[in-house]
């Protein structure tokens, strides 16, 4: 029995409890009261994104990747202290978010995110169980730096603050971090998989390749939607 599974279970329970109490911590504005579930869901997602992105959390941050250059040569067995726990915590969050959407949103409205979460849960879950490819999962978590601004955008939209300077500034930062921490990161991960295909077991290589093949077009489509809605309308 992997201790990582205990971290996953604890993370799931913690994010579930946070989701339940967020309406008291951050009361929804009048414009968001018709969709209280969505308000809680976005703030829960933001609560997951910030610890994964803030460099102040020294031992539990994807930014540790830059402090361990040897990881660029070995993303299979090399990872900094705390990285395995961070990936396990993220699995717990994605499981909680999956269940939350499944229970509160219609399938035709959430199938894209459910599909995305399924891929992440499978890939990250294998890393947690096998204690392998934790470094690769850690690189993938760099996208959470952009997720902070992506979730802030949704919060501002729900709060009916779309015509404010804050929203415009966040849109610019959101688009910039999207290119750097989503599109460029996924491109780097795809390149790493291709260059190291001889050193990765066929089953693992297949899972990683399928994951990248799914994530890349999804992120490009979302980038187009953000560009269209925030800058071309």
């Amino acid at each position: 029995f992997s201790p990582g599974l205990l971290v996953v279970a604890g993370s799931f329970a913690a994010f579930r409890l946070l989701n339940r109490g967020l309406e008291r911590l951050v009361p929804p504005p009048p414009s968001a009261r018709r969709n209280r579930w969505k308000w809680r869901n976005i703030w829960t997602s933001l609560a997951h994104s910030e610890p994964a992105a803030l460099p102040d959390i020294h031992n539990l941050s994807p930014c540790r990747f830059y402090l361990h250059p040897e990881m660029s040569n070995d993303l299979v067995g090399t990872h900094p202290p705390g990285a395995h726990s961070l990936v396990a915590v993220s699995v717990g969050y994605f499981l909680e978010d999956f269940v939350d959407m499944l229970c509160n949103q219609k399938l035709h409205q959430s199938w894209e995110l459910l599909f995305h979460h399924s891929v992440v849960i499978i890939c990250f879950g294998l890393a947690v169980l096998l204690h392998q490819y934790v470094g690769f999962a850690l690189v993938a978590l760099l996208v959470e730096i952009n997720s902070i601004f992506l979730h802030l955008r949704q919060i501002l939209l729900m709060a009916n603050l779309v015509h404010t300077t804050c929203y415009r500034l966040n849109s610019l930062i959101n688009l910039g971090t999207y290119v750097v921490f989503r599109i460029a990161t996924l491109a780097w991960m795809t390149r790493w998989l291709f260059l190291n295909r001889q050193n990765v077991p066929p089953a693992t290589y297949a899972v990683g390749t399928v994951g990248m093949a799914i994530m890349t077009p999804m992120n490009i489509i979302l980038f187009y939607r953000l560009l269209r809605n925030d800058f071309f309308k």
Side-chain angles (χ1 to χ4, degrees):
F1 184 75
S2 172
L5 294 179
L6 291 176
V7 180
V8 171
S11 171
F12 177 90
F15 279 109
R16 199 68 184 154
L17 287 172
L18 177 65
N19 184 285
R20 297 288 184 179
L22 264 171
E23 201 163 332
R24 297 189 187 93
L25 295 172
V26 191
S31 56
R33 287 173 189 166
R34 291 180 299 175
N35 201 349
R36 293 175 180 270
W37 162 78
K38 187 67 176 176
W39 182 258
R40 294 194 308 271
N41 180 269
I42 297 170
W43 277 100
T44 305
S45 299
L46 184 62
H48 166 256
S49 297
E50 287 184 354
L54 289 176
D56 292 337
I57 306 177
H58 189 63
N59 289 323
L60 295 179
S61 172
C63 293
R64 290 282 286 179
F65 173 72
Y66 295 106
L67 303 178
H68 291 260
E70 68 274 12
M71 284 176 57
S72 61
N73 298 319
D74 181 19
L75 292 180
V76 179
T78 303
H79 56 267
H84 183 267
S85 297
L86 175 61
V87 176
V89 167
S90 292
V91 174
Y93 158 73
F94 283 111
L95 280 169
E96 190 280 331
D97 201 44
F98 187 96
V99 171
D100 196 35
M101 286 189 292
L102 205 60
C103 294
N104 294 285
Q105 202 169 28
K106 294 179 180 178
L107 189 60
H108 74 272
Q109 295 175 314
S110 61
W111 71 269
E112 289 182 8
L113 276 176
L114 291 174
F115 192 53
H116 168 275
H117 283 16
S118 299
V119 174
V120 174
I121 290 165
I122 291 170
C123 294
F124 282 19
L126 286 173
V128 170
L129 288 172
L130 301 176
H131 284 260
Q132 297 285 306
Y133 307 98
V134 175
F136 194 74
L138 202 65
V139 176
L141 280 174
L142 285 171
V143 302
E144 294 303 319
I145 294 173
N146 167 251
S147 293
I148 292 175
F149 305 101
L150 202 60
H151 298 320
L152 282 174
R153 176 183 179 274
Q154 289 182 291
I155 289 169
L156 291 169
L157 279 171
M158 291 195 71
N160 201 23
L161 297 173
V162 69
H163 298 297
T164 62
T165 303
C166 183
Y167 182 89
R168 297 300 297 170
L169 180 61
N170 184 76
S171 295
L172 290 169
I173 299 173
N174 181 36
L175 214 61
T177 54
Y178 198 103
V179 172
V180 175
F181 294 107
R182 281 188 185 268
I183 295 176
T185 297
L186 287 173
W188 189 94
M189 292 170 67
T190 303
R191 176 180 176 274
W192 185 92
L193 266 179
F194 178 77
L195 294 177
N196 292 273
R197 61 190 182 280
Q198 302 298 333
N199 304 320
V200 178
T204 307
Y205 181 75
V207 171
T209 303
V210 170
M212 292 298 101
I214 292 170
M215 293 296 186
T216 301
M218 286 182 71
N219 278 278
I220 291 173
I221 291 170
L222 179 56
F223 179 77
Y224 167 73
R225 290 175 180 170
L226 290 170
L227 200 62
R228 180 191 62 192
N229 292 333
D230 287 353
F231 294 97
F232 290 161
K233 275 192 175 182

